[in-house]
Amino acid sequence: MATEQLVEMIIEEGKIIEKLTNRVVELEKEIEKLKISRDLDSIRLWKAPSGDILKKTENKQQDKPEENQTPKRKLGEQAGHRGKTRRGFGGVDRFEILGPQVCG
């Protein structure tokens, strides 16, 4: 290829790279906006509408894990509770070997 053609290709590729770089920046900004709106919306079913207005401060979030580490009561059955178990089934009543009635 001639030198002029190579220079034109390099210039065109530079323009394409610049457009793609700008597009990446735009998409990154859009992703950040979506992350913020996701955290503020109650559109998701698991989040109460009361949580839309303000987010909790970081100090309160740091206090919560400490509370969760020491549960107020022990999980499972109550102390001193006599449990119930299923008695199960007796023995096998009958045993039959079944075969096909009509051959396919």
Side-chain angles (χ1 to χ4, degrees):
M1 293 182 126
T3 307
E4 294 172 357
Q5 291 175 339
L6 292 174
V7 170
E8 286 179 22
M9 285 177 57
I10 292 172
I11 291 172
E12 287 177 21
E13 289 176 355
K15 291 178 183 177
I16 292 172
I17 290 172
E18 186 177 343
K19 287 180 184 178
L20 292 175
T21 305
N22 291 336
R23 181 68 177 151
V24 168
V25 170
E26 290 174 12
L27 291 175
E28 287 175 346
K29 288 179 183 177
E30 187 175 344
I31 288 171
E32 289 302 317
K33 287 180 186 177
L34 291 173
K35 284 182 181 178
I36 292 171
S37 67
R38 174 194 66 189
D39 293 338
L40 297 177
D41 285 345
S42 65
I43 292 174
R44 294 177 175 231
L45 299 176
W46 55 267
K47 193 171 182 185
S50 61
D52 287 351
I53 299 171
L54 297 173
K55 290 185 85 175
K56 296 181 181 178
T57 62
E58 292 178 7
N59 295 337
K60 289 184 181 178
Q61 290 177 355
Q62 290 174 355
D63 292 340
K64 278 189 176 182
E66 293 172 7
E67 293 174 4
N68 291 337
Q69 289 175 357
T70 56
K72 294 180 181 177
R73 65 178 182 90
K74 205 165 111 177
L75 298 176
E77 66 183 23
Q78 296 291 324
H81 180 262
R82 201 173 117 219
K84 295 182 179 181
T85 59
R86 205 169 116 183
R87 306 253 181 218
F89 300 106
V92 177
D93 293 344
R94 60 186 170 169
F95 183 82
E96 290 184 34
I97 299 175
L98 299 175
Q101 294 179 358
V102 178
C103 185

